[in-house]
């Protein structure tokens, strides 16, 4: 069976039922304290600076648990590290591997 036949075949109802999808569970977070809000704002400033330095105009991100990554300082900082690392890697180019 070739790839064309594999991707072109139709799914039977029995095959569809064998892999039920579990709905994403949303975790409720308590409201942020003023210190946490200040930390979140600082993380966003770092992300904006890294994005400008790298020339990033837009990006999309999501979480596995359905929570908002934009409200979590650790997630925002992880995005900042990813942008900085990617920019550093592409700026340096490929080295002898």
């Amino acid at each position: 069976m070739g790839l064309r036949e594999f991707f072109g075949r139709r799914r039977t109802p029995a095959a569809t039922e064998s892999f039920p999808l579990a709905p994403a569970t949303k975790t409720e977070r308590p409201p942020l304290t003023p210190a946490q809000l200040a930390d979140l704002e600082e993380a966003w400033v770092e992300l904006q600076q890294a994005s400008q330095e790298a020339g990033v105009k837009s990006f999309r991100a999501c979480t596995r648990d359905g929570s908002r990554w934009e409200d979590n300082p650790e997630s925002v900082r992880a995005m900042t590290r990813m942008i900085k690392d990617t920019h550093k890697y592409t700026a340096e180019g490929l080295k002898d591997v």
Side-chain angles (χ1 to χ4, degrees):
M1 173 186 285
L3 286 177
R4 221 176 253 176
E5 290 84 17
F6 178 76
F7 288 114
R9 68 183 179 162
R10 297 183 187 264
R11 298 182 79 185
T12 62
T16 305
E17 293 173 9
S18 63
F19 297 108
L21 295 175
T25 57
K26 289 190 175 185
T27 55
E28 293 292 326
R29 290 186 173 204
L32 297 175
T33 64
Q36 290 172 327
L37 281 173
D39 188 34
L40 180 62
E41 288 176 13
E42 183 180 323
W44 270 103
V45 169
E46 293 169 7
L47 178 62
Q48 290 171 347
Q49 289 173 348
S51 297
Q52 288 176 350
E53 291 171 6
V56 174
K57 295 185 174 137
S58 68
F59 61 87
R60 300 185 115 196
C62 63
T63 60
R64 292 182 183 194
D65 64 358
S67 63
R68 293 178 42 92
W69 68 270
E70 300 95 341
D71 297 336
N72 186 347
E74 292 84 22
S75 297
V76 175
R77 287 196 171 95
M79 291 297 294
T80 303
R81 283 190 305 275
M82 190 251 338
I83 289 172
K84 286 181 177 180
D85 291 345
T86 303
H87 179 64
K88 178 183 172 187
Y89 176 75
T90 55
E92 290 176 358
L94 291 174
K95 304 267 180 176
D96 292 331
V97 180

